[in-house]
Amino acid sequence: MASNGLNRWLTAVIAGIALNAGLINLSYFIGIGNTLPLQLFLGLASFFLLFRIKAVSIEVVCLSATALLLIALFNFSNPTSLITNPCIPLFVLMTALAGTQFQTRNQQTLARVAIVLLALQLVFHVFFNSTFSPIDSLTGRSKGYGSGTTYALLAATMLIYLTSMLTQRRLRLFAFCALAAVPLWTIFLTQSRGVFLSLMIILVVKNLFRMRSFFKLLASASVAVLIIALNPNLLDNVPLFDRLQVDSSWDLEAFSSGRLQTQIVIMNWISSEPSLLSLFLGAEGLNGVKTLTNQGLEFPHFDLLYLAYDTGFVGVSLYLFLMALLLGRTRFDSYILLFFLSALHTNMVLSPVFLIVSIVLHHVNRQTPQSTGPTIERIQKSRAGHSSSFETS
């Protein structure tokens, strides 16, 4: 029995470390080029260490395979693009998650993975945040691991996890406040508008149709508005709030973090492209966006535009279809919402392991809330051998 417990902790630690490594751009640490294949491998290896396949939706897989075949045929003259373009791994991953039902191998191990994930992130965020002084935040933004948005997304994921533990009474209020201070600190240091707004949208969506929660949310919003009304300089004095204000076209360019020009180029192509084949399968084929960046433009920081330019309306339609399936089957889970909302302000196509982690944490949240007392351990042990299906009832 003791060896089983040790093995579960060992599995949780290995999976937790691998997921952590898959979430961040490893090139910031190991000094090599594109580490996305390695990150995706680590994420998938962790996922299949924790889950087993239960059933496959032939319809979803066939539809996705047909769309990918059309994209592959369109890029037949440049076959290397099929293995170097990030859109293809994202489509395959989304197909696997949306078109396949999974079972957790062990629910207790899954919960421990979340603990390992949270613990490692808390340690890293405290370390990186402490190297960026409060004075620095007035003139610059913390980049954390190298990407401020990725760093802030990790913080948002931690906040959602801690909030779920609090609402399910697995975490006391004092412990929640102490732990949540770290990711909140990160979001204010990175001044990530997209992550902040995504969290606000998730907060509204998750409470909109629950009367009691909605009135609590409304009361909190009223207090926030009152504080700002009494102290109007607050918006200008807090860098994150100041970055939310748009007063001119220059501010609009700054609001898009310099990506507006790329977005305009792609939208102009969509509106003026005479070839239906290009509209349906991509402007320049796969890696067309990389061609734009080689010309001095930035990545568009908007996945729908990225996918439209590289894979056309076929790719965009496949993405929206698989997104709808994932959101529907998880009942608009906060983690899944965060991933797709983030795709509106950054390129999550370059960070697919966030979707894997979202599914893992979604399963952790599906555990039945348990009361305090000596019976908890017995209940957990009795459920340890049971699995939960990916499909929500």
Side-chain angles (χ1 to χ4, degrees):
M1 200 69 170
S3 63
N4 285 339
L6 182 62
N7 288 338
R8 287 170 187 166
W9 267 114
L10 182 61
T11 301
V13 170
I14 292 173
I17 292 174
L19 286 173
N20 266 289
L23 287 170
I24 58 180
N25 190 337
L26 295 176
S27 62
Y28 292 120
F29 298 96
I30 58 181
I32 63 175
N34 182 15
T35 60
L36 181 58
L38 175 59
Q39 292 168 236
L40 190 56
F41 170 78
L42 291 172
L44 288 173
S46 303
F47 190 85
F48 286 107
L49 192 64
L50 301 170
F51 294 88
R52 63 168 62 92
I53 295 174
K54 180 183 177 183
V56 176
S57 172
I58 301 300
E59 295 84 356
V60 173
V61 172
C62 287
L63 178 63
S64 182
T66 301
L68 292 175
L69 178 61
L70 290 174
I71 294 170
L73 290 174
F74 185 70
N75 291 273
F76 183 75
S77 61
N78 186 17
T80 56
S81 64
L82 292 170
I83 58 175
T84 59
N85 184 268
C87 301
I88 301 302
L90 178 65
F91 286 142
V92 173
L93 176 62
M94 290 178 67
T95 300
L97 295 176
T100 311
Q101 291 182 20
F102 292 94
Q103 280 187 323
T104 57
R105 295 184 184 276
N106 185 277
Q107 191 70 26
Q108 192 177 56
T109 302
L110 204 64
R112 289 172 177 175
V113 169
I115 293 172
V116 172
L117 195 67
L118 175 71
L120 288 173
Q121 285 301 319
L122 284 173
V123 170
F124 291 148
H125 280 245
V126 168
F127 173 76
F128 282 105
N129 288 353
S130 63
T131 62
F132 195 84
S133 71
I135 296 176
D136 293 334
S137 66
L138 298 176
T139 57
R141 301 168 54 202
S142 171
K143 294 293 184 179
Y145 299 118
S147 169
T149 302
T150 300
Y151 192 50
L153 279 170
L154 290 166
T157 302
M158 280 195 286
L159 273 175
I160 293 173
Y161 174 77
L162 291 170
T163 302
S164 68
M165 294 301 101
L166 177 67
T167 56
Q168 294 177 27
R169 299 183 180 179
R170 299 179 196 167
L171 195 65
R172 295 185 182 276
L173 181 60
F174 176 79
F176 168 80
C177 293
L179 295 174
V182 176
L184 284 172
W185 183 18
T186 294
I187 291 173
F188 276 91
L189 287 183
T190 57
Q191 300 173 29
S192 179
R193 293 167 297 210
V195 170
F196 179 78
L197 291 173
S198 294
L199 285 173
M200 294 301 101
I201 292 171
I202 291 171
L203 185 64
V204 172
V205 169
K206 301 305 288 186
N207 292 281
L208 189 60
F209 300 107
R210 285 181 279 183
M211 191 63 65
R212 185 176 177 183
S213 298
F214 176 73
F215 279 114
K216 286 182 180 179
L217 179 64
L218 190 62
S220 300
S222 300
V223 172
V225 170
L226 180 61
I227 292 173
I228 293 173
L230 294 174
N231 187 13
N233 294 326
L234 182 65
L235 294 178
D236 297 322
N237 293 333
V238 178
L240 174 60
F241 297 152
D242 184 49
R243 295 186 75 238
L244 290 170
Q245 302 180 61
V246 181
D247 299 322
S248 66
S249 59
W250 180 89
D251 284 332
L252 190 60
E253 174 68 24
F255 197 82
S256 66
S257 301
R259 269 73 182 186
L260 182 62
Q261 188 176 355
T262 310
Q263 294 170 2
I264 290 174
V265 167
I266 296 175
M267 288 187 287
N268 285 340
W269 165 74
I270 293 173
S271 62
S272 61
E273 174 59 55
S275 170
L276 284 177
L277 187 62
S278 294
L279 281 173
F280 274 95
L281 293 167
E284 304 176 50
L286 295 174
N287 293 331
V289 170
K290 291 182 181 178
T291 303
L292 293 180
T293 61
N294 291 335
Q295 297 170 2
L297 295 173
E298 300 282 350
F299 283 102
H301 272 204
F302 188 13
D303 273 357
L304 287 177
L305 290 179
Y306 193 120
L307 294 168
Y309 201 76
D310 267 22
T311 64
F313 290 163
V314 169
V316 170
S317 299
L318 178 62
Y319 174 84
L320 292 174
F321 171 70
L322 295 174
M323 178 186 72
L325 278 182
L326 282 168
L327 286 171
R329 291 177 64 182
T330 58
R331 294 184 178 180
F332 285 77
D333 180 82
S334 296
Y335 301 109
I336 313 298
L337 263 176
L338 178 64
F339 180 86
F340 289 113
L341 285 173
S342 298
L344 301 176
H345 65 82
T346 189
N347 291 127
M348 296 306 290
V349 66
L350 302 176
S351 304
V353 180
F354 269 98
L355 184 57
I356 295 175
V357 172
S358 297
I359 295 296
V360 170
L361 294 177
H362 164 69
H363 276 270
V364 174
N365 278 356
R366 292 185 64 207
Q367 290 179 318
T368 304
Q370 298 175 11
S371 59
T372 57
T375 59
I376 289 181
E377 187 175 354
R378 290 198 301 272
I379 296 173
Q380 289 178 334
K381 285 181 179 179
S382 68
R383 292 181 177 175
H386 294 286
S387 300
S388 63
S389 167
F390 173 65
E391 187 173 8
T392 45
S393 57

